[in-house]
Amino acid sequence: LQLDINGVRHLWCIQYGRTTTSDLFNNRQLLSLKWLSYRISEAIDEMSKQGVDDKTKKTVSALLCCLLNRLIVYNSRHSWWQSNGQFIANMFVRQGISMVWNYCEVYPMSSGAGSLISARKWIKLVVSDMQKIDYTGRVICGDAGNLISVKSDSVDLGIIDPPYYDMIVYSYLSDIFYTWNKPILDDIF
């Protein structure tokens, strides 16, 4: 997928010749991500052959793609070494993909940060925490500075989207995941 030149403020790597999503990865990284994508597609096909119900198939497929997405952000030419914590940091710095001159790589089958094992642990933690939620969410569209309609101590989580206008255009950044996820999830969702 061609990176959108209109997103140059968020995809600073475009200025240095990274013009497609494939350019964000070296050959080893592309090979491992393509291998994982293929294996996820195989697992989805196997679920279909075994007659797994649609809800389960959608859930498992989405979780497998979350695994892939974790590897995408930690296994690119734009991942870098976080020296003060001694771990690999993902490609998204300050809501953009900046140019990294000395990127680092992680072996996807290791147990360290950015690996498949690490991704599985994080996703398992999220799913475990989400299973504890015994109620549905409520969406309120309004002024975050004026929460009169919300009772005190009645909110567990508040998500706001500050009025940055076009300071952060997430669609340019999400194209990276779209490239990998669409072929896998297109028939399911």
Side-chain angles (χ1 to χ4, degrees):
L1 178 69
Q2 193 74 25
L3 296 174
D4 190 338
I5 192 68
N6 294 317
V8 74
R9 285 189 341 206
H10 311 288
L11 303 169
W12 301 302
C13 57
I14 291 174
Q15 300 170 34
Y16 300 94
R18 307 274 200 257
T19 58
T20 66
T21 52
S22 293
D23 292 340
L24 300 174
F25 308 95
N26 69 29
N27 289 337
R28 281 183 305 278
Q29 294 163 336
L30 278 172
L31 180 64
S32 65
L33 293 171
K34 285 180 180 179
W35 175 84
L36 183 57
S37 297
Y38 177 76
R39 298 302 301 217
I40 291 170
S41 294
E42 275 187 335
I44 293 168
D45 289 345
E46 188 61 31
M47 283 189 287
S48 295
K49 288 177 188 172
Q50 292 183 7
V52 173
D53 65 280
D54 282 346
K55 185 177 179 182
T56 302
K57 188 169 133 182
K58 283 182 178 184
T59 302
V60 171
S61 301
L63 289 171
L64 288 172
C65 280
C66 285
L67 237 136
L68 174 64
N69 292 342
R70 293 276 304 177
L71 260 63
I72 288 168
V73 297
Y74 284 99
N75 293 284
S76 78
R77 289 179 171 173
H78 300 274
S79 300
W80 52 283
W81 188 249
Q82 178 67 41
S83 59
N84 65 350
Q86 297 295 306
F87 59 86
I88 191 168
N90 74 50
M91 74 163 81
F92 294 111
V93 179
R94 293 179 298 281
Q95 294 83 30
I97 301 176
S98 55
M99 193 60 200
V100 177
W101 297 107
N102 55 351
Y103 67 91
C104 59
E105 291 186 66
V106 66
Y107 176 56
M109 300 305 174
S110 72
S111 60
S115 70
L116 196 56
I117 292 169
S118 173
R120 186 182 56 107
K121 285 179 186 175
W122 278 103
I123 292 166
K124 187 177 177 183
L125 281 171
V126 169
V127 170
S128 176
D129 282 352
M130 288 176 70
Q131 287 176 332
K132 295 173 189 171
I133 299 171
D134 61 350
Y135 51 87
T136 57
R138 184 173 142 218
V139 176
I140 301 170
C141 185
D143 183 351
N146 183 12
L147 296 175
I148 294 170
S149 65
V150 178
K151 296 177 194 170
S152 288
D153 298 330
S154 68
V155 176
D156 291 320
L157 175 66
I159 301 171
I160 62 169
D161 185 15
Y164 295 133
Y165 183 57
D166 69 346
M167 285 300 295
I168 302 169
V169 183
Y170 294 104
S171 62
Y172 297 124
L173 303 176
S174 68
D175 282 349
I176 288 112
F177 302 105
Y178 179 81
T179 302
W180 292 93
N181 289 210
K182 185 180 185 328
I184 297 170
L185 298 175
D186 198 33
D187 293 338
I188 298 167
F189 290 97

